[in-house]
Amino acid sequence: MLKPQISNTIGLALCIWLTLRKLNPQLPEILGNINNVLSRVNQRWSLEETKLLFEAHKVFGPKWQLISQKQFPLRTAQSLESKWYNLKAIINQKRNVNSKKWTPEEDKELYIAVTQYSFNKRVDWKAILLTGHFPGRSNHDLYTRYHNVLAHPKRGPWTKQENEKLQSLVQSHGKKWTDISHNLQRPACLIQIHYNNFLAPGMKMGRWTDEEFYQLAKAFQDYGENWEQIQRLFPGRPLGQIKRHCLRSPKIQIKGKKSQQT
């Protein structure tokens, strides 16, 4: 048998429940809706909600109360802020892991893995990742490392034939550097840099005139190694050419040192 105190408490609660229900017949439905809302608030975050949170932060910034009202009526501002900083911490942690330098052992493992997991000129990067030899790396990391460093080790000065072939490939295929790298047997990233600095339309690749050389000497005297400012004075001249002339010409170096001393 129930103790008198417990029995009295249950009876009182039942009386209150019956009274409230009599006053408002929809009370059970209201309580059910409240319970439903609370259960949805405590739900795990879906991928769509995570994407929406990032988009909302881009638009509204860290105005969590406003974001809650506009985009997440069932989540509190505090929960949005907590979720945001947790996601940022995870992203930063992954960036730190993936930014570590590649070791010679990793390069060797990757080169061997590509030969083992290549089928009809296609590489199964996911399968390579699942081998467990590359902890903290992504499919994109493996792909970039292989195509930019290991697949096409050719470096050094560009020949006239290579320049002509590169210009022809860009005209016919566009700036698809990875595809072009297969034709030129050079890393895609270096091909892109070479084209943008030397072969892109509007670039001046001829010899420097005496007037240009005089202007460059004066610019280096005025601005020192502020290369961006100097390059604005020489439209069409690649930044690499400007640096080379400034750093290799004794006359320009002397003027530059004098200006820094004064």
Side-chain angles (χ1 to χ4, degrees), residues 50-64:
T50 303
K51 291 179 180 178
L52 182 60
L53 180 60
F54 273 97
E55 293 299 325
H57 186 271
K58 288 181 182 179
V59 176
F60 301 108
K63 298 179 180 179
W64 306 115

Side-chain angles (χ1 to χ4, degrees), residues 152-207:
H152 309 296
K154 184 178 180 181
R155 286 168 170 76
W158 285 68
T159 64
K160 183 179 179 180
Q161 292 77 13
E162 283 182 309
N163 285 333
E164 292 174 351
K165 188 174 183 180
L166 175 55
Q167 288 177 314
S168 175
L169 289 170
V170 171
Q171 290 176 359
S172 58
H173 300 290
K175 297 179 180 180
K176 298 179 180 179
W177 307 117
T178 302
D179 295 338
I180 292 174
S181 68
H182 296 310
N183 284 278
L184 295 177
Q185 297 300 308
R186 286 181 179 269
C189 59
L190 298 184
I191 293 174
Q192 181 180 3
I193 293 172
H194 181 75
Y195 180 83
N196 290 335
N197 284 336
F198 297 99
L199 302 178
M203 286 292 171
K204 296 172 65 176
M205 298 308 301
R207 296 184 61 181

